[in-house]
């Protein structure tokens, strides 16, 4: 009989493409992955993995079994979801991911609420950018991820996921306090065509959105500085090194020397949670979404979004 944990290991190898990637996704050592694969090969009596340079690849038999493993594990997930729904208890483990400002602005309140309301539920969380977070949920590495769509550029979303809106987050333009537009009540992005920009790293979804948006307005942006975290971006702005788009969620206190001004044609992003459709009936998923939505309402009431 096929062992479920060994099938899970094979599935992780197929999804991640390497033994080290499978080990990281399963939170085990590379040695443990290799041992599970060797045992699975002995059980099925066929070679499933072959050397490929410094790494490994799946054989034809390995790919065939990996396809079955993905379907089997999906059915197991569905069975667990149905059993949890039948029992009606919010228990077990829930793994969550969110991009940094959502992790900072939503997770403390939401996860504290979950711990208080459901002491039998253990949550773990990790910061992760939206696109890799979606893929991690699809792979089964996380149960739920908080991601975003910009108002004019949605995040690509594969089939097999369910989503729920958490809140709409407004973004302002942050500029040095002595900037020529710092005293205005509203600005347009076109007003900063001649400014240096502080933005995210080049591969990040938010950076791609900013470049796309500015170019759609006929602006070829001069990107002077890149930083992953908004506090770093704001510190660079405060030093007079450029301007940046500053979403309100998770922003925290604006440093001295920085002025934030709303954009006339509102620049917004929709924050939402995603999870696999085969886990849709899990009470823990539903409880987490409700806690995140309540945290979103609190943020909105406090004027932080």
């Amino acid at each position: 009989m096929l062992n479920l944990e060994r099938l899970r290991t094979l599935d992780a190898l197929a999804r991640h493409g390497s033994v080290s990637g499978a080990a990281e996704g399963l939170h085990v050592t590379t040695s443990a992955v290799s041992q599970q694969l060797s045992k699975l090969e002995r059980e099925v009596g066929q070679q499933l993995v072959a050397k490929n340079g410094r790494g490994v690849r799946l054989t034809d038999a390995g790919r065939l079994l990996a396809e079955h493993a993905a379907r089997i594990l999906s059915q197991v997930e569905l069975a667990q979801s149905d059993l949890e729904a039948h029992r009606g208890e919010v228990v077990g483990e829930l793994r969550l991911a969110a991009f940094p400002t959502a992790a900072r602005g939503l997770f403390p309140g939401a996860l504290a609420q979950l711990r208080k309301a459901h002491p039998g539920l253990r949550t773990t969380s990790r910061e992760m950018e939206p696109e890799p977070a979606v893929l991690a949920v699809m792979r089964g590495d996380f149960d739920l991820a908080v991601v975003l769509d910009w108002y004019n550029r949605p995040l690509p979303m594969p089939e097999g996921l369910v989503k729920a809106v958490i809140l709409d987050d407004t973004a302002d333009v942050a500029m040095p306090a002595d900037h020529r537009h710092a005293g205005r009540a509203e600005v347009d992005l076109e007003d900063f065509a001649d400014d240096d920009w502080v933005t995210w790293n080049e591969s990040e979804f938010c950076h791609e959105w900013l470049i796309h948006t500015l170019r759609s307005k006929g602006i070829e942006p001069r990107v002077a500085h890149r930083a992953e975290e908004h506090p770093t971006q704001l510190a660079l702005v405060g030093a007079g090194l450029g301007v940046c788009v500053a979403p309100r969620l998770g922003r925290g206190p604006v440093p001295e020397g920085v002025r934030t001004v709303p954009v006339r044609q509102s620049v917004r992003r929709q924050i939402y949670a995603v999870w696999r459709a085969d886990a849709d009936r899990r009470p823990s998923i539903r409880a987490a979404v409700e806690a995140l939505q309540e945290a979103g309402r609190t943020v909105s009431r406090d004027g932080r979004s």
Side-chain angles (χ1 to χ4, degrees):
M1 182 177 293
L2 294 172
N3 179 281
L4 188 62
E5 287 308 309
R6 287 165 200 151
L7 289 178
R8 198 181 303 278
T9 302
L10 180 66
D11 176 66
L13 178 64
R15 290 185 283 102
H16 290 278
S18 68
V19 171
S20 59
E24 182 178 356
L26 295 170
H27 307 291
V28 298
T29 64
T30 55
S31 176
V33 170
S34 297
Q35 290 175 15
Q36 289 283 58
L37 293 172
S38 295
K39 290 178 181 178
L40 185 58
E41 286 184 326
R42 290 197 295 271
E43 287 176 352
V44 302
Q46 297 187 59
Q47 184 180 5
L48 303 174
V49 178
K51 289 188 179 298
N52 184 33
R54 300 178 67 180
V56 298
R57 62 172 177 82
L58 292 177
T59 63
D60 290 343
R63 286 194 296 271
L64 178 64
L65 186 56
E67 291 173 2
H68 284 290
R71 290 192 291 270
I72 291 167
L73 293 171
S74 179
Q75 284 300 117
V76 170
E77 179 78 29
L78 186 59
Q80 291 174 333
S81 179
D82 284 346
L83 284 172
E84 284 189 30
H86 184 266
R87 188 169 60 230
E89 297 178 2
V90 181
V91 296
E93 181 181 8
L94 194 68
R95 301 159 300 171
L96 303 98
F99 59 96
T101 52
R104 184 165 58 249
L106 296 173
F107 273 3
L111 300 188
Q113 178 184 330
L114 280 173
R115 172 178 285 186
K116 181 178 179 180
H118 307 289
L121 179 67
R122 187 172 76 89
T123 60
T124 59
S125 67
R126 177 178 170 181
E127 285 188 358
M128 186 175 292
E129 289 301 317
E131 289 178 304
V134 167
L135 295 177
V137 170
M138 287 295 296
R139 290 194 305 261
D141 298 339
F142 289 88
D143 300 301
L144 181 149
V146 180
V147 297
L148 63 94
D149 282 336
W150 284 97
Y151 71 101
N152 60 342
R153 194 174 179 87
L155 182 72
M157 192 62 54
E159 294 183 2
L161 294 180
V162 180
K163 60 188 285 188
V165 175
I166 304 301
L167 79 157
D168 285 341
D169 182 33
T170 301
D172 305 314
V173 176
M175 65 199 77
D178 59 358
H179 193 277
R180 63 190 183 280
H181 298 315
R184 294 175 55 180
E186 292 181 324
V187 292
D188 294 308
L189 292 178
E190 294 91 328
D191 296 331
F192 303 93
D194 297 325
D195 286 272
D196 287 339
W197 282 89
V198 181
T199 180
W200 299 266
N201 288 336
E202 190 168 5
S203 60
E204 291 184 16
F205 179 63
C206 289
H207 170 79
E208 293 175 354
W209 162 80
L210 178 62
I211 300 303
H212 164 80
T213 300
L214 293 175
R215 285 175 175 168
S216 72
K217 297 177 179 294
I219 302 168
E220 185 57 40
R222 295 202 310 265
V223 176
H225 305 281
R226 302 180 189 275
E228 291 185 11
E229 293 285 349
H230 289 148
T232 306
Q233 293 182 7
L234 291 174
L236 292 167
V237 170
L241 299 174
V243 300
C244 75
V245 170
R248 296 178 186 176
L249 176 64
R251 180 193 292 171
V254 175
E256 285 189 30
V258 175
R259 172 92 160 89
T260 60
V261 181
V263 181
R264 181 176 291 106
Q265 295 181 338
S266 182
V267 173
R268 303 182 69 83
R269 55 185 191 170
Q270 186 178 79
I271 315 300
Y272 56 96
V274 297
W275 61 95
R276 295 184 306 281
D278 54 19
D280 190 42
R281 296 187 64 198
R282 288 179 59 186
S284 56
I285 294 284
R286 293 297 175 184
V289 171
E290 290 173 5
L292 287 165
Q293 289 174 330
E294 178 57 35
R297 287 190 288 270
T298 299
V299 167
S300 298
R301 283 197 302 269
D302 292 346
R304 289 176 282 156
S305 182

